[in-house]
Amino acid sequence: MKYLLSMLLIFSFADAAKVVAVGEKYKSSSDCQACHNHIVKEWKNSWHFNSHYKKDEYFRASVDYVSRKTHKSLNAIKVECATCHNPRISVTSTDTDYEIAAVLGLDKNSKVNKAVHDDTLNEGINCVVCHNIDKIYSELDESHRGMNRVSWSKTGLMSGPFSDANSPYHKTEYREFMDKDPNQLCFVCHANDHTATGKIFINMQEEYKGAKEKCVTCHMGEKRELYASTLRVDNGKPKARRIRAHGFEGAHTGSMWKDALKVSADISGDDLVITLKNDLPHNIPSGFGSREVLIEIEYKNFNGKVGKDFVSLTKHYLSKYKKPTIPHMAERSSADDSVPAKGEKVIKIKYNKKATTAVITVSYRLVNDEVRKILKLKDPVWSQKMPIAKVSVKY
Ligand code: HEC
Ligand code: HEC
Ligand code: HEC
Ligand code: HEC
Ligand code: HEC
């Protein structure tokens, strides 16, 4: 019996990662626009739309860097990262034969080259990534994420949160991961990722302390009264529905950071004591490896500024040659100094005795100095300080 069960498990897992071609009618978000324009517009402002090589400078620079350092072709790395960044790609791995063809420049007409340059992939994580998933295999271990954790429905079948939806354009089916248990869907990719040698430095699923808190409540917003489709299917009117927004606002949106941590400060003996309290169900910083919380202190007295100091909460990564590197090429990382989920972090530093006041500014950056330098990132968005909170304390 046990044997039979494990065989059944193996057979059902085998469906994960199987490529199912998306029909021409559903490939691009523009195919959905006629009836879901409001949703398409919101999603186009999201970083799911931007998760592609052509649109995200940081992602592009990381792919290029990994390709250089691993001596693998650019296309091979693109295919690897596509597991989560472009899961509808039609090729899921590359082999040594491909590497040889790529080195010789003979891969122009190969399946891999065509797959990587398919126009609809430019849309990144689009509608038919999330809504064409049939099953999620949450039982699979850490190494199975992205397309390796899901199986796809037949093309033209949209999984959604409603059990009574009818559309003339596509079939619909209710799924729990679109309604009661959407965290499962987010954890398909947001766990987050492993390095070239399989190391995992940040795991959002493991650190999550919110069994009942849904990612969608905060990152797609509370449900509001509107309609899912503009098609007039309900006595000449669009059917009224309770829906969420598809903006997936997060770390790249400055306004989301305001008060994301509660900050207080005190003086105890010779020390300035700063407390960061995190009410969120995940750590901060969390997610992708190079994120940073920056604490800047300005000391003042009646003469004006008399000094400054700073503390950076981030991870530093070392390559196998013990040189600073980017998360994907790391062999080891510095200790985790993030503010834990539903917890707090207390930071003590020597108080500058010349000052009567210390002003403490806490902000967030998408990429720390070290990684920004290694990758030579140019867009100001990567170094921009997004304000979280500001407090002051008197001596
Ligand atoms: C197929 C993989 C995948 C799935 C499924 C997925 N995401 Fe993402 N998500 C990503 C990737 C990759 C990025 C980073 C894109 C980039 O920055 O280029 C991202 C980025 C984000 C961001 C960050 C936006 C920002 O401004 O920093 C948020 C928030 C987010 N996702 C929320 C969710 C939620 C909520 C769910 C579940 C409903 C979900 N994601 C499901 C892969 C996925
Ligand atoms: C990262 C995953 C993800 C992507 C990408 C995505 N959706 Fe959704 N979508 C969801 C989730 C989760 C829900 C359920 C939200 C809820 O709780 O109501 C949903 C709900 C919907 C609904 C039902 C209305 C509602 O808000 O509940 C429609 C229609 C829809 N999506 C269409 C689209 C279209 C069109 C696109 C592409 C422009 C798209 N979705 C992209 C995850 C996604
Ligand atoms: C000709 C109009 C039309 C087009 C084009 C269209 N849809 Fe729909 N869709 C609908 C209607 C109508 C509904 C049902 C709305 C309701 O019941 O509230 C629907 C429902 C949905 C749902 C919710 C299903 C559920 O069971 O909860 C999703 C998801 C969805 N569509 C995704 C898409 C995607 C992705 C595309 C583009 C590939 C697309 N639709 C193109 C008309 C359309
Ligand atoms: C109670 C609200 C809440 C819930 C629930 C929640 N988040 Fe967040 N999350 C936030 C806020 C607020 C931030 C900080 C500002 C921002 O990035 O949006 C954040 C930040 C993030 C970041 C960026 C982290 C960093 O340090 O760079 C990611 C990625 C993310 N959330 C994904 C998720 C995922 C995936 C889930 C579900 C497993 C989830 N969030 C659940 C509110 C929430
Ligand atoms: C297991 C799924 C998964 C795989 C595979 C994956 N990523 Fe990601 N990646 C994510 C998620 C989820 C995010 C968003 C996390 C966040 O915003 O904190 C992300 C974000 C990023 C970011 C930050 C983008 C930004 O705009 O800030 C970079 C850079 C990145 N990934 C590079 C890569 C590279 C290079 C590869 C391939 C070598 C890769 N990723 C493979 C899941 C994955």
Side-chain angles (χ1 to χ4, degrees):
M1 186 62 193
K2 225 176 184 173
Y3 173 76
L4 196 68
L5 264 178
S6 57
M7 283 313 282
L8 277 174
L9 272 176
I10 288 168
F11 281 125
S12 59
F13 288 162
D15 286 343
K18 216 182 250 168
V19 173
V20 174
V22 187
E24 287 301 327
K25 268 175 77 182
Y26 313 104
K27 266 189 156 174
S28 151
S29 64
S30 59
D31 299 321
C32 321
Q33 232 157 347
C35 307
H36 302 290
N37 192 35
H38 55 311
I39 294 177
V40 177
K41 264 172 51 196
E42 285 167 349
W43 164 82
K44 279 201 169 160
N45 281 319
S46 79
W47 279 75
H48 282 149
F49 173 68
N50 282 334
S51 73
H52 185 260
Y53 188 80
K54 286 199 176 149
K55 290 189 296 213
D56 184 327
E57 183 196 15
Y58 184 18
F59 179 56
R60 182 167 56 247
S62 299
V63 171
D64 294 350
Y65 188 87
V66 173
S67 161
R68 267 200 321 276
K69 294 286 173 181
T70 56
H71 307 291
K72 283 196 192 165
S73 67
L74 196 55
N75 279 351
I77 306 302
K78 284 183 180 175
V79 168
E80 257 176 65
C81 310
T83 308
C84 297
H85 286 257
N86 278 118
R88 295 318 296 257
I89 193 168
S90 59
V91 160
T92 53
S93 63
T94 57
D95 56 15
T96 32
D97 285 351
Y98 175 76
E99 285 302 305
I100 294 165
V103 168
L104 298 174
L106 297 175
D107 66 324
K108 290 279 173 304
N109 292 315
S110 67
K111 256 171 85 179
V112 174
N113 199 48
K114 283 190 186 133
V116 165
H117 292 104
D118 182 339
D119 270 352
T120 46
L121 289 186
N122 295 351
E123 288 200 333
I125 298 162
N126 76 355
C127 321
V128 284
V129 171
C130 294
H131 289 292
N132 204 207
I133 294 178
D134 182 23
K135 286 202 193 99
I136 297 175
Y137 298 90
S138 303
E139 322 78 303
L140 289 175
D141 69 22
E142 286 315 315
S143 61
H144 296 80
R145 294 284 173 185
M147 68 175 128
N148 297 322
R149 206 177 187 77
V150 305
S151 56
W152 307 109
S153 293
K154 288 195 295 284
T155 181
L157 175 64
M158 300 301 158
S159 18
F162 308 124
S163 48
D164 61 343
N166 265 311
S167 160
Y169 192 74
H170 52 74
K171 294 202 172 65
T172 62
E173 258 178 39
Y174 172 85
R175 287 291 182 280
E176 280 205 345
F177 61 75
M178 280 284 156
D179 176 33
K180 283 197 203 112
D181 187 15
N183 289 5
Q184 239 195 93
L185 171 64
C186 314
F187 287 140
V188 163
C189 306
H190 285 268
N192 276 22
D193 191 19
H194 52 74
T195 64
T197 55
K199 294 213 159 58
I200 295 171
F201 292 116
I202 292 175
N203 185 331
M204 288 197 83
Q205 183 163 15
E206 219 160 69
E207 77 189 26
Y208 202 64
K209 291 212 186 76
K212 294 208 187 75
E213 284 182 86
K214 299 176 180 172
C215 321
V216 293
T217 313
C218 302
H219 293 288
M220 293 179 82
E222 295 285 354
K223 288 199 186 192
R224 64 206 156 118
E225 295 291 334
L226 205 67
Y227 38 78
S229 155
T230 47
L231 202 66
R232 299 168 187 280
V233 287
D234 194 16
N235 291 322
K237 285 190 307 209
K239 190 174 170 67
R241 291 283 194 188
R242 289 173 55 71
I243 67 159
R244 294 188 202 270
H246 273 68
F248 300 99
E249 287 186 347
H252 297 69
T253 306
S255 57
M256 281 281 286
W257 281 102
K258 194 170 178 299
D259 300 323
L261 294 167
K262 293 204 177 84
V263 182
S264 57
D266 227 328
I267 289 165
S268 161
D270 288 345
D271 291 331
L272 172 61
V273 182
I274 302 166
T275 306
L276 304 175
K277 192 162 176 289
N278 179 9
D279 291 333
L280 301 177
H282 49 64
N283 299 9
I284 294 287
S286 180
F288 195 66
S290 63
R291 313 299 198 203
E292 177 184 42
V293 166
L294 193 63
I295 305 163
E296 291 168 294
I297 301 129
E298 195 177 87
Y299 291 107
K300 291 196 238 182
N301 65 19
F302 37 84
N303 285 325
K305 290 179 200 167
V306 291
K308 57 184 180 181
D309 208 344
F310 79 96
V311 180
S312 153
L313 305 181
T314 191
K315 274 205 167 94
H316 297 281
Y317 296 91
L318 289 179
S319 71
K320 65 175 175 202
Y321 309 108
K322 302 199 169 67
K323 292 245 171 66
T325 188
I326 66 167
H328 279 100
M329 290 308 301
E331 267 309 306
R332 65 183 74 185
S333 86
S334 57
D336 183 4
D337 60 3
S338 60
V339 189
K342 309 257 182 207
E344 60 177 41
K345 185 170 189 75
V346 179
I347 293 153
K348 276 188 194 170
I349 54 173
K350 276 263 162 305
Y351 189 84
N352 180 332
K353 286 280 181 48
K354 278 185 263 171
T356 52
T357 308
V359 181
I360 297 123
T361 310
V362 179
S363 52
Y364 173 89
R365 282 201 292 196
L366 287 164
V367 194
N368 64 29
D369 287 338
E370 193 166 86
V371 171
R372 233 172 40 246
K373 230 195 222 147
I374 294 172
L375 294 177
K376 302 188 177 74
L377 299 181
K378 294 206 174 61
D379 194 311
V381 71
W382 312 117
S383 59
Q384 186 193 333
K385 292 178 196 165
M386 307 187 209
I388 297 176
K390 192 172 191 165
V391 296
S392 59
V393 57
K394 285 203 181 340
Y395 189 59

